[in-house]
């Protein structure tokens, strides 16, 4: 995974609650067997008139400069619905690196970290301030090591992130190799469970 | 210290816990289907890794499979590629696999319980959010993303923090035509689709204890629609009776030992929940959704609410309805009975009671899609297929079908579906299609009347 430390980018805002994974990547596009290339289908049903593939002009990510957004600002319960990792794959491939929202659905939240996308939860007032400061296409600066967002006017907003997830993102660690360091504990566990709950072994 | 059922099972699977509270937990069961697995197999291959415990994996083809034919030639190219990729991976990795055409094939969350694959006290994962279904057996079961699918393949573990505990108690007896589906929709309408985010929901109370396993599965299945990755019901005699003699459930002496252990799996008296709700079963009437989120839900006698925020305004516009109008009487174009929520034998029995001797309204196309080959077989043994067909339903082969419309079963723009599935999101059942979630008896009543109707008048 690519390392994530600091970066600066344009923030588009989509202030609807319950942006679900079917909106982020409609199922027609789940049929791929690779991870790459889903960006053009991100938000497909909100972005295109599917009858003729033309752009829906008033959708924010279709409007310059927000079509180059690397940050998305949204409202409550972002990413609810299915477990499809195609959702973060599509958003990442579109170019998004950070999603700021009032709250996130659990599975989506987890999936973001596995794909180098940083989900940040902030309260509604702060989100509305950020929207105001970015509505002409101004950049936001994101600093993960210091857990801080800086706006164009120099305002600093701190955010929370779990320590372990942060470490993994900053270092670009691959989860599996990390877990395999615990190989012997896993083996011990298996041996014990075979004794205590043998019926779990088929 | 008094503990909740969820905490007990979690601790029982904890290999280690980091200082920040993240656990490495052991995974006992892993369900695999064609949509969320290809990239995980690819990852294994690239890193030259193997599946750590092959016997703990069960795989099926379900999301893309056609339900009108067994031939892949009628699927579009990308569905075909995905199904063929799973066939190939199943062979290469030597998976326990029920492919399209096998009589054991069907929707993963219907097939796994039929096989006795999920057991009380186990941890089960699947790259699918409705994995919560299996909590019905007193297991911790939850959906994961594809990276985690690969992680479980390679390590048989996951690195996660335990969630908080919520208990939802339903006391008393359900009214006629009210089912676990209505409990689920009602609860979601009360707590919201994010109400359970960050929680494991334990369903308890006499209203839950009296439910069959099938109903408990329907209930837990919808947990994720209330935001909870995990929903759980304590195992009891109903659970043990269901599991007895299933192909993969323990046998002989192991069965006795297992049952003795399973009896200890319940929340201790005095255990603390971070959140509690209680409702009376008699408060719950047959539910119907009106919008594009499962929380947009009312009972069939109510009117669609007048809305005042952008999210709900968008929803009403999308479904083409007006705030203030009665939901009953809304004309429909389609009826879909099936899915991992309501595609089990009891669901078809309940719908058939209403359909017996009746005809589907001429404006409606109705399809019945058994959740698995075994459900289909059982239904046919009971003659239910004949009742459905005589009423004018199409009696299909098993699969996810119109629940998410990845296969050729979908509604056209602006067509309205009375559906027993679990999601009414925009476009879920076809581009610009409109979904109303309800229980199977309600869907059957809608089929007959050609509009949303109260099933109670038919019982
Ligand atoms: S039936 Fe629907 S919800 Fe269930 S696994 Fe299939 S697509 Fe998902």
């Amino acid at each position: 995974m690519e390392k994530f430390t600091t970066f600066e980018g344009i923030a588009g805002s989509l202030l609807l609650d319950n942006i679900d994974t079917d909106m982020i990547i409609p199922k027609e596009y789940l049929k791929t067997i690779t991870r790459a290339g889903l960006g053009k289908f991100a938000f497909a049903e909100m972005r295109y008139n599917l009858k003729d593939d033309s752009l829906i002009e008033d959708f924010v990510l279709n409007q310059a400069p927000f079509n180059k957004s690397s940050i998305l600002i949204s409202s409550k319960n972002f990413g609810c619905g299915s477990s499809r990792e195609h959702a973060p794959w599509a958003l990442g491939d579109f170019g998004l690196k950070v999603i700021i929202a009032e709250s996130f659905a659990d599975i989506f939240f987890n999936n973001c970290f596995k794909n180098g996308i940083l989900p940040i939860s902030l309260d509604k007032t702060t989100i509305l301030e950020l929207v105001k400061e970015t509505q002409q296409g101004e950049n936001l600066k994101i600093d993960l090591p210091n857990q801080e967002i800086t706006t164009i006017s120099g305002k600093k907003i701190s955010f929370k992130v779990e320590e372990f997830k942060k470490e993994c993102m900053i270092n670009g660690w691959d989860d599996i190799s990390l877990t395999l360091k615990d190989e012997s504990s896993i083996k011990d566990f298996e041996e014990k469970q075979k004794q205590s709950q043998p019926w779990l072994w088929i | 210290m008094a503990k909740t059922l969820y905490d007990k099972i979690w601790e029982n699977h904890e290999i280690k816990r980091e200082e920040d509270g993240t656990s490495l937990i052991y995974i006992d069961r892993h369900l695999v289907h064609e949509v969320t697995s290809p990239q995980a197999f690819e990852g294994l291959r690239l890193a030259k890794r193997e599946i750590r415990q092959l016997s703990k994996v069960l795989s099926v083809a379900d999301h893309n499979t056609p339900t009108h034919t067994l031939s892949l030639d009628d699927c579009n190219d990308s569905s075909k590629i995905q199904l063929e990729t799973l066939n190939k991976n199943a062979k290469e990795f030597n998976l326990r696999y029920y492919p399209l055409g096998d009589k054991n094939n069907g929707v993963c969350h219907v097939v796994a319980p039929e096989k006795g694959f999920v057991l009380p006290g186990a941890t089960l994962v699947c790259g699918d959010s409705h994995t919560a279904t299996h909590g019905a057996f007193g297991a911790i079961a939850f959906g994961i993303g594809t990276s985690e699918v690969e992680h479980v393949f390679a390590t048989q573990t996951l690195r996660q923090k335990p969630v908080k505990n919520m208990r939802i108690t339903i006391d008393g007896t359900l009214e006629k035509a009210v089912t676990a589906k209505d409990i689920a929709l009602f609860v979601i309408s009360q707590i919201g689709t994010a109400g359970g985010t960050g929680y494991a929901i334990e369903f308890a109370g006499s209203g839950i204890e009296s439910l069959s396993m099938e109903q408990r599965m329907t209930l837990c299945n919808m947990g994720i629609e209330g935001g909870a990755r995990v929903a759980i019901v304590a195992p009891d005699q109903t659970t043990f009776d269901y599991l007895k003699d299933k192909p993969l459930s323990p046998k002989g002496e192991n069965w006795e030992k297992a049952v003795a252990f399973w009896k200890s799996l319940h929340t201790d008296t005095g255990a603390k929940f971070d959140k509690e709700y209680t409702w009376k079963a008699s408060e719950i009437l047959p539910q119907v959704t009106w919008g594009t989120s499962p929380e947009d839900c009312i009972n069939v006698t109510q009117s669609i609410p007048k809305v005042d925020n952008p999210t709900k305004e968008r929803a009403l516009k999308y479904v083409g309805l007006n705030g203030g109008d009665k939901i009953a009487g809304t004309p429909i174009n389609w009826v879909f009975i099936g899915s991992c929520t309501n595609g089990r034998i009891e669901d078809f029995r309940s719908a058939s009671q209403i359909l017996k001797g009746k005809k589907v309204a001429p404006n409606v196309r109705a399809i019945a899609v058994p959740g698995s080959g075994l459900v289909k077989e059982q239904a046919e043994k009971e003659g239910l297929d004949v009742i459905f067909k005589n009423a004018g339903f199409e009696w299909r082969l098993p699969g996810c079908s119109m629940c998410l419309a990845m296969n050729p079963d979908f509604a056209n723009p602006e067509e309205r579906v009375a559906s027993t599935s679990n999601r009414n999101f925009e476009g879920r059942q076809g581009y610009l299609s409109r979904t109303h979630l309800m229980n199977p008896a309600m869907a059957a009543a809608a089929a007959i009347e050609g509009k949303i109707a109260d099933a109670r008048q038919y019982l």
Side-chain angles (χ1 to χ4, degrees):
Chain A
M1 201 169 71
E2 220 176 289
K3 294 182 183 176
F4 187 121
T5 48
T6 59
F7 94 100
E8 199 175 324
I10 293 173
S13 33
L14 188 56
L15 295 184
L16 289 173
D17 294 339
N18 302 329
I19 295 282
D20 61 64
T21 50
D22 285 66
M23 286 174 168
I24 297 172
I25 179 89
K27 72 229 158 218
E28 292 86 279
Y29 312 108
L30 301 183
K31 293 180 183 175
T32 166
I33 54 167
T34 62
R35 291 171 200 241
L38 289 171
K40 54 181 177 295
F41 309 124
F43 295 111
E45 291 179 2
M46 299 169 99
R47 233 166 115 201
Y48 310 107
N49 287 304
L50 293 187
K51 285 167 196 148
D52 56 6
D53 283 341
S54 60
L55 290 181
I56 296 175
E57 301 286 338
D58 62 4
F59 183 63
V60 59
L61 298 182
N62 284 336
Q63 300 161 350
F66 300 106
N67 52 356
K68 299 263 181 314
S69 297
S70 51
I71 302 168
L72 183 69
I73 307 181
S74 189
S75 304
K76 286 193 201 110
N77 201 23
F78 191 92
C80 62
S82 91
S83 65
R84 60 186 70 157
E85 204 157 314
H86 307 69
W89 294 337
L91 297 179
D93 192 56
F94 177 86
L96 293 178
K97 293 173 78 70
V98 175
I99 300 168
I100 300 173
E102 281 177 60
S103 59
F104 293 89
D106 282 342
I107 304 180
F108 176 83
F109 186 77
N110 242 319
N111 283 342
C112 282
F113 285 99
K114 314 268 179 220
N115 293 284
I117 296 176
L118 178 65
I120 300 177
S121 314
L122 295 173
D123 63 79
K124 187 167 184 172
T125 322
T126 315
I127 285 185
L128 293 179
E129 272 174 40
L130 284 181
V131 171
K132 219 163 158 194
E133 290 220 35
T134 53
Q135 60 191 358
Q136 306 299 330
E138 297 90 340
N139 279 358
L140 287 179
K141 269 191 209 157
I142 312 283
D143 179 342
L144 177 57
N146 292 309
Q147 298 178 214
E148 206 169 63
I149 302 172
T150 312
T151 67
I152 195 90
S153 69
K155 194 169 169 13
K156 291 194 185 302
I157 295 155
S158 64
F159 60 87
K160 289 194 190 132
V161 56
E162 272 176 41
E163 201 49 42
F164 177 72
K165 291 197 163 100
K166 172 174 156 183
E167 284 290 291
C168 288
M169 275 191 99
I170 292 177
N171 295 295
W173 281 335
D174 154 21
D175 278 18
I176 296 180
S177 356
L178 214 62
T179 300
L180 287 175
K181 288 190 187 145
D182 288 318
E183 160 85 40
S184 68
S185 321
I186 300 174
K187 226 179 154 79
D188 286 350
F189 180 93
E190 291 180 327
E191 290 312 316
K192 274 195 211 127
Q193 200 201 43
K194 278 180 194 164
Q195 300 301 318
S196 62
Q197 293 184 67
W199 54 85
L200 287 176
W201 291 79
I202 41 180
Chain B
M1 204 184 82
K3 286 182 188 155
T4 66
L5 174 56
Y6 171 82
D7 288 342
K8 282 186 193 176
I9 301 174
W10 186 274
E11 284 169 22
N12 211 340
H13 286 83
E14 204 166 42
I15 299 168
K16 65 180 221 182
R17 189 179 285 207
E18 309 287 349
E19 265 168 37
D20 74 343
T22 307
S23 318
L24 183 65
I25 58 157
Y26 195 73
I27 301 301
D28 299 317
R29 297 288 186 265
H30 189 184
L31 276 174
V32 172
H33 63 81
E34 78 276 17
V35 181
T36 53
S37 68
Q39 295 84 354
F41 285 114
E42 189 60 21
L44 286 183
R45 220 174 270 127
L46 288 174
K48 299 201 171 28
R49 289 183 177 127
E50 293 187 350
I51 295 180
R52 186 178 174 90
Q53 296 293 353
L54 204 48
S55 68
K56 295 185 178 293
V57 183
L58 187 152
S59 50
V60 294
D62 54 8
H63 284 65
N64 285 280
T65 52
T67 60
H68 60 293
T69 164
L70 287 176
S71 158
L72 286 191
D73 294 338
D74 281 17
C75 295
N76 64 27
D77 286 347
S78 43
S79 284
K80 201 169 155 185
I81 291 174
Q82 218 166 46
L83 289 164
E84 283 170 346
T85 304
L86 181 59
N87 288 345
K88 201 175 97 236
N89 285 327
K91 205 161 169 198
E92 181 182 334
F93 289 88
N94 200 16
L95 306 178
R96 177 186 288 114
Y97 177 43
Y98 305 123
L100 175 66
D102 187 307
K103 82 165 198 176
N104 296 294
N105 176 256
V107 183
C108 54
H109 307 309
V110 178
V111 171
E114 289 174 343
K115 293 286 152 206
F117 186 68
V118 49
L119 298 177
T123 49
L124 179 148
V125 296
C126 172
D128 187 282
S129 59
H130 293 98
T131 308
T133 310
H134 310 276
F137 289 83
I140 295 186
F142 54 91
I144 55 178
T146 299
S147 299
E148 289 174 313
V149 169
E150 185 182 340
H151 192 274
V152 174
F153 277 152
T155 70
Q156 209 58 44
T157 67
L158 279 175
R159 216 174 265 279
Q160 290 211 339
K161 274 194 175 168
V163 291
K164 289 186 282 186
N165 285 283
M166 177 188 293
R167 180 161 58 192
I168 295 181
T169 306
I170 307 288
D171 283 322
T173 322
L174 293 171
E175 302 286 326
K176 69 173 182 183
V178 179
T179 66
K181 177 66 161 288
D182 303 288
I183 302 180
L185 286 170
F186 172 80
V187 165
I188 296 162
S189 74
Q190 301 298 306
I191 69 173
T193 42
T197 305
Y199 291 94
I201 300 180
E202 177 169 347
F203 287 101
S206 54
I208 305 297
E209 284 158 23
S210 59
L211 297 177
S212 66
M213 282 319 294
E214 314 224 324
Q215 293 280 306
R216 292 180 195 184
M217 287 188 249
T218 301
L219 178 64
C220 292
N221 173 280
M222 298 281 294
I224 187 67
E225 307 309 330
R229 285 179 91 169
V230 174
I232 192 165
V233 175
D236 59 12
Q237 199 56 44
T238 308
T239 324
F240 311 149
D241 292 346
Y242 179 97
L243 285 172
K244 185 102 176 87
D245 298 325
K246 289 280 183 294
L248 297 174
S249 59
K251 302 282 163 355
E253 195 192 329
N254 248 349
W255 171 260
E256 304 301 329
K257 277 202 239 165
V259 172
F261 174 75
W262 295 342
K263 287 185 174 160
S264 74
L265 292 173
H266 50 75
T267 291
D268 297 326
T269 327
K272 210 190 138 324
F273 283 84
D274 302 284
K275 217 166 202 176
E276 291 235 38
Y277 295 95
T278 305
W279 283 284
K280 283 202 201 75
S282 56
E283 284 175 63
I284 305 173
L285 297 182
Q287 305 285 307
V288 187
T289 61
W290 55 263
T292 55
S293 160
E295 72 187 11
D296 300 340
C297 183
I298 52 183
N299 76 51
V300 66
T301 67
Q302 287 178 311
S303 302
I304 300 160
K306 298 206 165 97
V307 299
D308 58 357
N309 74 63
T311 305
K312 299 302 173 200
E313 278 162 11
R314 182 183 166 96
L316 261 191
K317 188 161 168 237
Y318 180 89
V319 297
L321 295 173
N322 299 311
D325 289 355
K326 288 263 182 220
I327 192 75
T330 309
I332 52 156
N333 312 92
W334 281 88
V335 172
F336 168 64
I337 299 183
S339 86
C340 62
T341 313
N342 283 128
R344 299 190 180 78
I345 188 70
E346 281 186 9
D347 300 314
F348 293 98
R349 285 183 192 140
S350 130
S352 69
Q353 265 191 336
I354 296 202
L355 293 174
K356 210 168 191 164
K358 301 268 188 341
K359 289 277 178 228
V360 169
N363 59 316
V364 171
R365 182 159 177 205
I367 66 173
V369 185
S372 72
L374 296 186
V375 169
K376 179 169 180 281
E377 193 179 72
Q378 180 63 30
E380 289 171 2
K381 218 189 253 170
E382 296 177 21
L384 304 184
D385 58 323
V386 179
I387 299 179
F388 275 91
K389 285 189 266 190
N390 284 348
F393 265 79
E394 296 169 38
W395 182 252
R396 296 291 190 90
L397 300 166
C400 291
S401 177
M402 214 167 170
C403 173
L404 94 166
M406 272 181 98
N407 76 345
D409 307 337
F410 60 86
N412 290 312
E414 301 190 2
E415 284 184 337
R416 201 178 290 287
V417 191
S419 179
T420 66
S421 54
N422 43 46
R423 283 198 176 133
N424 52 346
F425 295 167
E426 288 182 21
R428 176 80 178 179
Q429 299 195 288
Y431 177 53
L432 297 180
S433 67
R434 300 159 169 176
T435 302
H436 297 276
L437 303 176
M438 60 190 75
N439 77 35
M442 288 282 291
I448 296 168
E449 296 204 7
K451 52 191 191 218
I452 294 175
D454 192 337
R456 291 176 299 175
Q457 63 198 344
Y458 290 94
L459 292 172

